[in-house]
Amino acid sequence: MNVRVLIITNYVLEYRHKLFEELSKYFTITVLTLQQPTDDKRINHSFVLRKNYVVKSLKRYRIGKLIINPGLFSLTALNELIDSHHIIIINDNLPNFISNLVLYIYSKYKKKKIILWSEDFFYSSRYLSLHKKLLMKLIRKLVRNIDALLLFNEYDFEKFKQLKSYNESYHNIKFYLIRQAVSFKHEILNMKLQKEVKKRNRFPVFGYMGYLKKIKNLDILLRFFAENNKIKLLIAGDGDEKIKKEINKFENIEFVGFLTTEAEKNSFFSKIDYLILPSFYDAWGLVINEAAHRGIPCIVSKEAKASEIVKKVNEKLIFDPFSYESFKSVMDYAINLWRDYLLYSKISEDIYNISLNYSIEEAVKEFVLAIYSLLS
């Protein structure tokens, strides 16, 4: 049987492209994109990617933080999208809530099998706005009428397991853990940096890679490195011009700009001893995967779901992003840890080995199980 799957998402970045390529070995895949990467100030590589799946992009308009796709308000267009597919997978990106809701209602009307691919099913951060939390409550109510649920992280997976155990509304929903991944296992194996053994007569070098915006909590970094001007920080990324100007005031902080190639990233990671992700909130934080794949220990906010990787290595490297004292305590711990070469090396090896479980192959395995479970 030729199983036709429609995946509805915001846009295709390189790591999702790899995932969809692998899925296309099992099913006929069509990806419907509701946005473009440039809407979120991301670089659009999708036009150069070779695809074994079909991509359909809808025109879109932004109203505040919401994305509206007017093409979905045509029954003809909806029929063309929905009728020819056996399985509909909806990625619950919040700016696309209205379009996803339209596609969900029409798919239910057409009696299609529906899978929700949830980036963050249980919001926990104090940083998030009330309207986002209310939207997620609505999504959890709608989930009672879907066929399967794909969850990004172990926190959501375990919490949904508990919810299902006492709430009959969710009893018939199959659910799967789709680990966030950026690479195939063989790529991870080839990625580990062979860093030279350096004398511990210097401070460790820290790094941040990501967007420069308020939610990323860069102020907590700037405060620490202002107080500790002998310790060096490398920052890679792009975003708010005000934050860039603030960064450029520091002699001990080097801003290297936005990195796009693996060679640029390898060069960045080869110069640092720890990666820091200080976000007030992160549905995941794929930069943790990228650092872990290279054997770089990570200092991470407990509000970033990628902290589950670090938790398996050393919980003392996780901090509360709303508390400077918590962050400072973890940084002091990391500096002392760095001076113990054997312990630091063990953590480097451990985080690398754990990262092998966060591969495209593992994610695809669960995707395929979820789809086949709805065909029987």
Side-chain angles (χ1 to χ4, degrees), residues 8 19 22 26 38 51 55 85 126 175 178 199 205 224 231 249-250 255 284 314 345 373:
I8 300 154
L19 181 67
E22 284 299 292
Y26 300 88
T38 49
K51 300 179 184 72
V55 176
H85 295 92
R126 286 175 276 166
F175 64 110
I178 307 293
K199 293 180 181 178
V205 177
F224 179 85
I231 304 175
K249 294 177 183 177
F250 289 76
F255 179 64
W284 183 256
N314 188 330
S345 298
S373 73

Side-chain angles (χ1 to χ4, degrees), residues 142-172:
L142 294 174
V143 161
R144 297 171 185 180
N145 297 304
I146 65 166
D147 299 287
L149 178 62
L150 309 179
L151 296 161
F152 262 34
N153 56 75
E154 292 176 1
Y155 173 84
D156 283 4
F157 185 81
E158 292 302 322
K159 199 159 182 180
F160 186 78
K161 188 189 291 185
Q162 292 172 17
L163 179 65
K164 188 175 175 179
S165 69
Y166 65 78
N167 192 323
E168 293 183 0
S169 303
Y170 299 100
H171 276 189
N172 295 323

Side-chain angles (χ1 to χ4, degrees), residues 105-133:
I105 291 169
Y106 198 74
S107 299
K108 286 300 292 183
Y109 170 70
K110 287 290 185 173
K111 298 182 179 178
K112 298 293 181 178
K113 297 290 187 182
I114 301 173
I115 298 175
L116 178 66
W117 183 13
S118 178
E119 291 193 3
D120 201 2
F121 196 68
F122 295 100
Y123 278 117
S124 58
S125 176
R126 286 175 276 166
Y127 184 86
L128 289 170
S129 62
L130 179 61
H131 83 274
K132 284 188 176 181
K133 291 176 182 176

Side-chain angles (χ1 to χ4, degrees), residues 268-286:
F268 173 83
F269 284 116
S270 70
K271 294 173 183 174
I272 68 172
D273 304 299
Y274 288 100
L275 180 87
I276 308 172
L277 182 62
S279 309
F280 285 123
Y281 163 75
D282 237 309
W284 183 256
L286 281 168

Side-chain angles (χ1 to χ4, degrees), residues 212-229:
L212 311 180
K213 50 187 179 181
K214 188 177 179 182
I215 198 170
K216 295 297 184 179
N217 192 21
L218 291 172
D219 285 347
I220 206 168
L221 293 186
L222 300 185
R223 179 177 171 183
F224 179 85
F225 286 92
E227 294 175 1
N228 298 272
N229 58 16

Side-chain angles (χ1 to χ4, degrees), residues 66 88 110 113 226 233 242 254 273 281 289 329 363:
L66 286 175
I88 311 297
K110 287 290 185 173
K113 297 290 187 182
L233 171 68
K242 289 182 181 178
E254 182 181 349
D273 304 299
Y281 163 75
N289 296 61
S329 175

